[in-house]
Amino acid sequence: MSLSTTPERNIVIIGGGIIGCTTAYYLSSHPLFNSNISKITLLEASRDGAAQGASGKAGGLVAKWAYPSELVDVSFSEHARLAEKHCGISRWGWRFVGCGSWEGHGELSGEADSGVGKGGARKSLEKTLGLKGDFKKTRQQLGLPDDLDWVREELTTAYSPMSPPGDTAQVHPYLFTTSMLSLAQERDVQFVQGKATAVNIDKDTKAVSGVTYIPADSSEPKSISATHVIVAAGVWSPKLIPRLPIEGTRAHSITIRPTPDTTISPYVLFTEIELQGVSRRTARASPEIYARPDNEVYCCGPGDNSPVPDTVDDVMVDQHACDDIREHVASISTQLREGVVEKRQACFLPIARGGGPIVGEAKSVAKGLIIATGHTCWGICNAPGTAKAIAELVMDGKITCANLKALDPSRYL
Ligand SMILES: Cc1cc2nc3c(=O)[nH]c(=O)nc-3n(C[C@H](O)[C@H](O)[C@H](O)COP(=O)(O)OP(=O)(O)OC[C@H]3O[C@@H](n4cnc5c(N)ncnc54)[C@H](O)[C@@H]3O)c2cc1C
């Protein structure tokens, strides 16, 4: 299709997380997008702007061994391309990292617990499911890499790399997401702060006709007309399309700033710590630890079953869960023990029951209704592949960058 014959498109994206913002970027960068003819609006419910949920509070791992492979295969190379094109190294902390599983003992100083928030039972975030085989069983040596000097050698029982060099990278999720939004805004995407309350469907044509929302600065509902509506509202997506099988798992995280004279080498560690020094009992903890280029260290704990609140602004932080993460990582690292905790936060991971994510047009609900959600623990990694596929679907009429049949909404809707 040539630019002169491009039909008018009114595209509304619901959700300013990494999926919504990256989709806005890819749509507005598509060769057939012409802002004199078509319009893209990104609607975000938080009063604090984009990336206030999981997309601003995730670890930021980008891995060739992530899943599902059909999205990873596109996403990893797109991450590298975006970083090259838009100075991702300085703008959002893109870099390759060492990644390994670390197993050993931790020496606790305080009354730390298992790291689960008051939301209930401990749930794995399942990031290592994409690895072929059981990496714990394939460990061949107990030694640590020379430059992994910020975990205590004497407490280590095993370390094994989880991927060859070049297969694991990272971004700072908040900086990546907000950069995607800024770049999209430079290409005329309109950012509107307000909470979508309904996707409107024309009864006669069975196509989407618009979105109703409550603007952030008023209680009067408004509507935006639309030829395409993209639901990228994370765990809140079923509030708009109730049959979507999305559940939320809450997870806590903290960031630590080591003392100024300490440099934390670039590793992401998946830990298994046997905690010692707890008078009541010996327990295990498995925080993930991410060194970041600005010498910030991000650490997250397990998930829990806390109910999903009305909006991202209502997510509760259980301070005990944050204290425990700090104690657990401090139990194996002097550098992290001496550092200052800067952020204590929680967010909800969008999990698709029966596997996910869900990416494509929900034709059985309405023509022009596109779903892009349920990215579980790999939404940061898989955002570019998802966004590229959706931009192709909306602008070209079909997805050509990958075969995403297994992720099609028709599996569920
Ligand atoms: C502790 C933790 C660590 C993680 N680490 C990694 C990692 O290392 N690598 C990786 O690839 N992934 C990681 N993830 C997963 C990743 O964070 C998510 O898959 C991803 O952020 C999901 O993005 P999203 O845009 O779908 O959802 P969200 O980030 O939740 O964004 C959805 C947005 O929609 C908005 N919204 C909701 N309802 C409405 C409405 N009605 N109207 C308007 N706006 C609305 C919300 O306010 C929110 O801003 C991690 C997740 C957690 C919890």
Side-chain angles (χ1 to χ4, degrees), residues 21-39:
C21 292
T22 311
T23 300
Y25 167 85
Y26 273 85
L27 279 167
S28 58
S29 308
H30 192 284
L32 292 182
F33 177 69
N34 178 345
S35 60
N36 294 320
I37 299 171
S38 295
K39 201 174 152 200

Side-chain angles (χ1 to χ4, degrees), residues 354-405:
I358 305 171
V359 180
E361 187 175 4
K363 292 193 195 106
S364 68
V365 182
K367 194 167 171 292
L369 176 65
I370 318 271
I371 310 294
T373 190
H375 287 75
T376 65
C377 62
W378 285 117
I380 307 302
C381 178
N382 286 329
T386 304
K388 188 173 162 69
I390 285 179
E392 288 174 352
L393 183 60
V394 172
M395 303 306 291
D396 305 326
K398 61 177 182 206
I399 297 171
T400 51
C401 65
N403 179 351
L404 300 189
K405 273 210 172 80

Side-chain angles (χ1 to χ4, degrees), residues 207-346:
V208 295
S209 59
V211 173
T212 302
Y213 70 101
I214 311 282
D217 55 1
S218 119
S219 53
E220 283 297 305
K222 279 191 173 179
S223 285
I224 317 172
S225 61
T227 56
H228 298 80
V229 174
I230 299 162
V231 177
V235 285
W236 293 275
S237 300
K239 291 192 188 247
L240 295 159
I241 310 294
R243 281 195 288 139
L244 276 175
I246 303 291
E247 290 171 352
T249 289
R250 185 179 67 163
H252 286 83
S253 55
I254 61 171
T255 64
I256 297 177
R257 181 73 54 192
T259 54
D261 56 336
T262 309
T263 301
I264 303 290
S265 54
Y267 280 90
V268 171
L269 299 185
F270 288 75
T271 67
E272 277 297 333
I273 308 172
E274 193 170 317
L275 299 164
Q276 296 177 331
V278 190
S279 52
R280 301 173 264 131
R281 61 193 172 98
T282 299
R284 292 185 80 82
S286 45
E288 298 172 16
I289 311 176
Y290 299 64
R292 286 179 168 163
D294 63 350
N295 222 25
E296 176 182 82
V297 182
Y298 168 95
C299 315
C300 64
D304 66 44
N305 286 324
S306 179
V308 176
D310 197 33
T311 72
V312 71
D313 296 334
D314 305 317
V315 174
M316 300 292 288
V317 178
D318 177 346
Q319 295 299 333
H320 290 300
C322 295
D323 289 345
D324 287 340
I325 297 170
R326 194 258 166 200
E327 273 299 310
H328 296 160
V329 300
S331 78
I332 62 167
S333 167
T334 308
Q335 289 83 342
L336 298 184
R337 180 179 296 285
E338 288 172 354
V340 175
V341 175
E342 289 188 332
K343 288 191 191 128
R344 296 161 163 266
Q345 54 199 11

